[in-house]
Amino acid sequence: MASDNSEQRRRRRRMFGAGVRTLGRSMLHTMPGYDRARSWQKTGQDWYDTLGSLKGAAMKLGQIASQYRDFLPEQLVDQLSRLQRNAEPWDYARLTPVLDATWSEAQRARLVEIDTEAIAAASIGQVHRGRLDDDRDVVVKIRYPGVADAVDADIDNLARLLKLSRFLPVRGSDIDAVLEELRLRFIEETDYRHELANLQTLRAMTLPGYVLPEPVSELCTEAVLVTTHVASRPIAEAPPRLGAAVVSSICRQVFTFGALHADPHPGNFGVTDDERIALFDFGCVKYFDRATRDALRDVVAAALIADWHGVHDALERLGVVPADSWADHGRTYAEIYRRHAEATLEPLRAQPDYVFDDDGLIQSIHAEIRESLRHWKRFNAAPELVFLMRTLSGLYWILRSMKGQAPLIAELEAIAAGAYDPPDDADA
């Protein structure tokens, strides 16, 4: 217990120190001649050093923040983006106590061979190749000690920093709501029994063009996850035609099954020798109820026919806009929706078999988002959608890396027509 308290104090001191330095620089931003770009770069470096050294929610928060270029200073995001790369692994000897504590002697005996060099390391745990007594090649994911206990403290510390530094143009109550959503997902990620259930859920979808590892359930515990090994190459080497499988799988996950693999790190995707998408790391899966899925479908359907009132009504059901806000500000909302739809849909209609390349689409969308920031008080944070937006953003860049091709406009029309709706007798 004493060592746990000492670790908590160390994490709190490191994050508090970074916060104080950040606030100090922020106070100087109004001084004439002050180099704000250099200040944000130094702040980003500071946070990269701090968060990168703290496993768990602290590092994960930095990774998520790096995906919001439209809301954070560019120099800050450039530094935080470095957290997206694999973390430095621990020596295997530091993790053997986890196996000793979580496995019985009989379970430990099943693992007859393990490579002490990690093949991947992240914010919550790291992965090692191994072999079972039945000759199956497996991967063993081991949770870092202490990360589960640090989630609440890390979230609380970040909340204080965000409110004081005013990084984001959102209300304090919205920050609290979003951080609560992040906290819940992080707590789930630190329990590998939850990841086991997520993997079983996604395997049951039988996503076309995908292959997922098989869990070795009898060896999975709160702190250890064992699955079969799926050999794959980097996702950037996937043939462009597999872009259609990626897009279709997202539609099926969200609208048909209401369970979305929401950790779009390139290392969580690969391509097999028989040209299927390999999917890994199931700690972060976001579940959507039927009402949310229906509202998301209705946003797409209304936008395709330029029904801006319909878009607004669906967004109101999602909590994105305040109730009854159309009556007084409908014209403003309609113009925002029109501009966003034009920036997004027109390029897709012009290229029915869309190729994810540097064609200016993402820049156009980002420009509209930045333009809309002056109206941010008219919108709510909608924490229920945080991981959906994170996933779509991350998958865009994954599809860019493979120059994926997909009939995007046809997929949107299929969503609008209810083609991805679950069967009427499905559990809502």
Side-chain angles (χ1 to χ4, degrees):
M1 179 65 71
S3 61
D4 289 345
N5 290 336
S6 176
E7 171 63 14
Q8 292 291 344
R9 287 194 296 271
R10 183 182 74 89
R11 298 174 74 87
R12 187 163 52 248
R13 283 196 302 269
R14 295 216 59 174
M15 293 189 72
F16 180 75
V20 169
R21 292 189 293 273
T22 299
L23 293 173
R25 296 188 194 100
S26 298
M27 293 175 64
L28 297 175
H29 282 188
T30 57
M31 294 182 61
Y34 187 73
D35 190 344
R36 298 183 64 183
R38 175 62 177 163
S39 173
W40 285 123
Q41 191 277 333
K42 291 175 67 176
T43 295
Q45 178 67 53
D46 195 358
W47 276 96
Y48 169 79
D49 293 339
T50 301
L51 299 177
S53 68
L54 299 176
K55 300 293 187 183
M59 181 179 177
K60 180 74 75 172
L61 288 165
Q63 292 172 343
I64 291 177
S66 72
Q67 297 180 353
Y68 291 91
R69 289 185 173 272
D70 300 308
F71 305 97
L72 298 172
E74 180 180 358
Q75 297 80 8
L76 176 65
V77 174
D78 286 343
Q79 294 298 316
L80 292 178
S81 295
R82 297 162 61 196
L83 291 168
Q84 287 290 85
R85 305 168 191 164
N86 275 355
E88 241 353 91
W90 283 15
D91 289 338
Y92 177 71
R94 297 179 64 186
L95 298 177
T96 54
V98 177
L99 298 180
D100 294 337
T102 194
W103 272 351
S104 67
E105 289 186 13
Q107 288 173 310
R108 190 70 183 264
R110 294 288 314 280
L111 187 67
V112 297
E113 184 179 312
I114 189 166
D115 188 346
T116 58
E117 294 292 324
I119 60 173
S123 55
I124 293 173
Q126 64 189 48
V127 180
H128 293 258
R129 286 284 301 274
R131 184 171 60 85
L132 298 184
D133 55 1
D134 58 9
D135 278 338
R136 278 187 291 175
D137 288 328
V138 295
V139 294
V140 182
K141 185 176 180 180
I142 308 171
R143 188 181 70 190
Y144 296 122
V147 297
D149 300 326
V151 171
D152 286 339
D154 287 348
I155 294 288
D156 288 344
N157 289 332
L158 186 71
R160 294 188 189 99
L161 173 64
L162 289 176
K163 290 176 182 178
L164 290 172
S165 63
R166 299 179 182 178
F167 278 166
L168 302 174
V170 294
R171 294 175 286 268
S173 58
D174 281 348
I175 290 176
D176 288 337
V178 169
L179 289 178
E180 176 62 14
E181 172 72 4
L182 296 178
R183 187 183 70 82
L184 293 174
R185 299 288 80 77
F186 293 160
I187 288 174
E188 292 173 354
E189 284 195 67
T190 61
D191 187 341
Y192 288 171
R193 295 169 301 186
H194 190 85
E195 181 167 356
L196 170 62
N198 289 338
L199 173 55
Q200 293 167 331
T201 295
L202 287 168
R203 281 180 56 83
M205 295 180 189
T206 58
L207 298 171
Y210 273 65
V211 57
L212 279 66
E214 299 178 20
V216 184
S217 301
E218 64 270 22
L219 296 182
C220 296
T221 70
E222 181 182 357
V224 178
L225 183 80
V226 182
T227 69
T228 56
H229 175 253
V230 176
S232 67
R233 307 187 306 278
I235 188 62
E237 298 180 20
R241 63 177 178 78
L242 287 184
V246 174
V247 172
S248 176
S249 78
I250 295 303
C251 296
R252 287 170 61 83
Q253 289 175 59
V254 173
F255 294 100
T256 305
F257 297 101
L260 173 66
H261 180 283
D263 195 355
H265 188 286
N268 293 338
F269 293 77
V271 58
T272 63
D273 287 341
D274 61 354
E275 295 192 341
R276 289 184 292 169
I277 299 290
L279 189 60
F280 308 107
D281 198 333
F282 306 92
C284 186
V285 170
K286 174 61 182 174
Y287 292 86
F288 300 100
D289 61 25
R290 185 63 182 271
T292 298
R293 289 139 69 188
D294 287 349
L296 288 169
R297 178 203 60 210
D298 292 347
V299 170
V300 175
L304 285 172
I305 61 173
D307 175 9
W308 310 131
H309 193 181
V311 169
H312 191 83
D313 177 72
L315 290 178
E316 184 175 316
R317 286 149 54 199
L318 290 166
V320 176
V321 293
D324 303 320
S325 52
W326 179 266
D328 293 329
H329 307 289
R331 184 174 298 179
T332 299
Y333 282 117
E335 179 62 12
I336 294 171
Y337 303 150
R338 182 193 67 78
R339 290 175 61 93
H340 278 273
E342 184 177 283
T344 305
L345 297 178
E346 292 311 308
L348 303 187
R349 288 180 171 129
Q351 189 182 166
D353 191 15
Y354 186 77
V355 178
F356 287 82
D357 204 349
D358 187 12
D359 61 355
L361 173 62
I362 197 67
Q363 292 86 349
S364 176
I365 294 173
H366 283 178
E368 287 305 321
I369 292 174
R370 288 190 291 271
E371 171 66 20
S372 298
L373 285 179
R374 60 193 176 96
H375 299 294
W376 69 268
K377 291 184 178 180
R378 302 190 191 281
F379 295 87
N380 301 324
E384 182 70 7
L385 304 183
V386 167
F387 279 88
L388 172 61
M389 302 313 295
R390 174 202 182 196
T391 301
L392 295 179
S393 173
L395 283 176
Y396 172 84
W397 293 107
I398 287 173
L399 287 162
R400 275 275 295 268
S401 75
M402 56 188 280
K403 290 187 170 20
Q405 298 176 5
L408 287 187
I409 196 67
E411 290 284 10
L412 292 175
E413 290 169 346
I415 292 169
Y420 283 107
D421 285 1
D424 290 337
D425 58 352
D427 182 9

